[in-house]
Amino acid sequence: MDTLQVIAKDVDKQLEKLTSFYIHHILPYVKRRSPHTYIASAVAAFFSYQVYKAIRVPKNLRHIPAVSYWKYMKSALSGEGVDLRAQNVILPVLAKSPNGIYLRPNRLGWTIGVANPAAMKTLFLRTNEFPKHQGFTKYRDSLTTRFGGANNIVVLNGGVWKKHRMIANPAFHRSMPVKLFGRLCEKMMTRFEKEGDGLEDVDVPMFLQRFTLDVIGLAAFDYDFEALDNPNNEKVENYNIIMEGIRNPIFFFFPILEKRFLWAFPGRRQLHRKMDDLDKLFYSIIDRKRQTLASKKGLVEDSEKDLLTLMLEANEESEDIQHQLSDLELRDDLAVFFLAGHDTTSNALSFALYYLAVNPHIQEKARKEVIDILGDGDDIVYPTAAQCSEMKYIYMIMKETLRMDPPAQNTVPRASSDDIDLAGTFVPKGSTLSAEIFVMHHDPSLWKDPEEFIPERFAPGGESEAKAGQGLSWTPFGSGSRQCIGMNFSLAEQKVLLAMMLQKYTWELPENTINKDRLVIDGSMGIISPKDLHLKFKKRF
């Protein structure tokens, strides 16, 4: 068979796959959401053209092992969780990579996935060579960018990023509001018993989302979303609907649809109207806080101030207007803190409760530690910050949970500022790179029995400590100067809730659950969450 025949055969295969992809994934999705068949067909045809352009790996990246475009996209668009995608599509390719570097599709095109501890360390610590990719801001009309904004602390670089970090630092380097965490946890536990089927069948992610929404609202803005008291109020419903829309895989991978064809998706247009309402809420919170700050200046202790108050004060203390944040920048920072402080923490806690449910010996060991520190009895005890620091085994459980299911499966993409050698792989200038946190945490060449939940990995002298000289093998919060600024806030919140629940309840999986044989992960994009996770609780007193 000559070269032309080989090429023709390859093209035929690609067209066959594209036709199948069009029929089974694109056209049905668009038809369900567009009122007119001819519009649906036109959008889907354009969509298919975009896919066809995207399937081929660029010439300058063909030296890097690549996953199958079709297998990856089929997994992403069919609703499979990241765990199945990692096991079936990515790890087999990664096993053939000499250094934990591979290629995968992304909304920005083919992306270099970094899942090697040494390369991960380089990617996180050498920020001048690997700045945040600005492609995120290219689609300013997308729901994702509209929510997080293009001027937030997560996506900015250089001096502008440093300005944001200086304003935000005071708010995140103070004592954590552990009393607030405890008070809202007690309220949530009361709701466990009153709503639905009571303790027999608790929708864990739903309650934890309500808990963390109230926490971030009060701690960050001094604003009560009333998610625990009134979960069906308009503010909560709008936020939840927008979050669901952001995680939609079709619009995640193909933002061009939202930019060019929003008119063809009535449901998506409705989400953008709800985003208008959420925007107004963010700005009204900033205005109200600025007025309150002016009227109560000097009357509120630092320990009682919320995140927005501390940021506004730091902003005012900067006499140089070039070093102050505009209302737009404040709004974008608050939105991204809101997302990081709500969804990621609630899902991390959901996963932790699941692993304690299916590992009763670990649950009992953790409970013993809590009782030794807080005492036992029928009184609700709010852990203090000092007591939280004593919870060594609870911390191991949290770290192992974040290894198994890091809420952020990967990071905001980086861009290579020049031709660079990364762990022995040539990375051309302008390449897109992603820290593949979930994949690295489940790589059997890096972790012993990676699918087993073993908190002792993180004990002194344990497996994690032994890896310290190899680079960064555990990175749920990133690392270096761009490490998640809310890490300590999230960890303190998790410790308080786990301790209070271990003291008051025991829990297990109910009889009829889709999570009986394994934890089922939702197939949405972005933040990882469990699917239909219900647990059965029993009061200890």
Side-chain angles (χ1 to χ4, degrees), residues 397-449:
I397 289 170
M398 289 161 51
K399 294 186 80 171
E400 177 68 343
T401 298
L402 292 168
R403 183 195 68 81
M404 291 285 286
D405 296 293
Q409 55 185 288
N410 41 53
T411 62
V412 172
R414 265 68 169 175
S416 53
S417 60
D418 210 334
D419 291 345
I420 295 170
D421 181 278
L422 183 61
T425 291
F426 173 70
V427 176
K429 180 180 179 179
S431 298
T432 303
L433 301 99
S434 172
E436 301 293 276
I437 299 169
F438 185 96
V439 172
M440 185 177 71
H441 286 186
H442 287 263
D443 188 345
S445 71
L446 298 177
W447 294 93
K448 184 179 179 181
D449 300 322

Side-chain angles (χ1 to χ4, degrees), residues 191-203 206-207:
R191 292 292 173 189
F192 270 26
E193 300 170 25
K194 290 183 177 180
E195 296 185 19
D197 295 323
L199 296 177
E200 288 293 312
D201 186 31
V202 177
D203 185 344
M206 180 269 290
F207 277 104

Side-chain angles (χ1 to χ4, degrees), residues 136-143 145-146 149-151 259 272:
F136 176 82
T137 64
K138 178 181 177 182
Y139 297 102
R140 290 176 182 261
D141 296 326
S142 75
L143 191 66
T145 307
R146 285 199 61 199
N151 301 279
K259 182 177 182 179
H272 279 268

Side-chain angles (χ1 to χ4, degrees), residues 480-514:
S481 61
R482 303 303 300 262
Q483 185 176 57
C484 174
I485 195 171
M487 178 179 73
N488 291 332
F489 184 96
S490 176
L491 293 175
E493 187 178 354
Q494 291 179 53
K495 275 189 178 181
V496 169
L497 184 135
L498 290 174
M500 291 180 66
M501 293 194 68
L502 283 162
Q503 186 190 44
K504 185 170 183 181
Y505 300 116
T506 61
W507 60 91
E508 61 187 5
L509 283 177
E511 291 284 329
N512 300 316
T513 172
I514 66 169

Side-chain angles (χ1 to χ4, degrees), residues 112-153:
I112 300 173
V114 177
N116 166 281
M120 190 77 79
K121 183 176 181 179
T122 300
L123 188 67
F124 281 137
L125 300 188
R126 287 159 60 175
T127 55
N128 289 333
E129 294 171 88
F130 299 104
K132 294 294 181 77
H133 199 297
Q134 294 306 292
F136 176 82
T137 64
K138 178 181 177 182
Y139 297 102
R140 290 176 182 261
D141 296 326
S142 75
L143 191 66
T144 303
T145 307
R146 285 199 61 199
F147 177 85
N151 301 279
N152 67 62
I153 194 171

Side-chain angles (χ1 to χ4, degrees), residues 351-418:
F351 289 128
L353 294 181
Y354 165 82
Y355 288 117
L356 292 174
V358 298
N359 295 282
H361 64 291
I362 296 176
Q363 183 183 148
E364 193 51 42
K365 184 175 179 180
R367 183 172 293 107
K368 183 179 184 303
E369 178 181 70
V370 169
I371 290 172
D372 288 345
I373 294 170
L374 299 183
D376 203 5
D378 57 2
D379 292 328
I380 295 291
V381 177
Y382 298 169
T384 65
Q387 288 172 327
C388 285
S389 66
E390 296 178 46
M391 298 175 187
K392 308 299 184 185
Y393 191 62
I394 299 289
Y395 190 38
M396 291 181 211
I397 289 170
M398 289 161 51
K399 294 186 80 171
E400 177 68 343
T401 298
L402 292 168
R403 183 195 68 81
M404 291 285 286
D405 296 293
Q409 55 185 288
N410 41 53
T411 62
V412 172
R414 265 68 169 175
S416 53
S417 60
D418 210 334

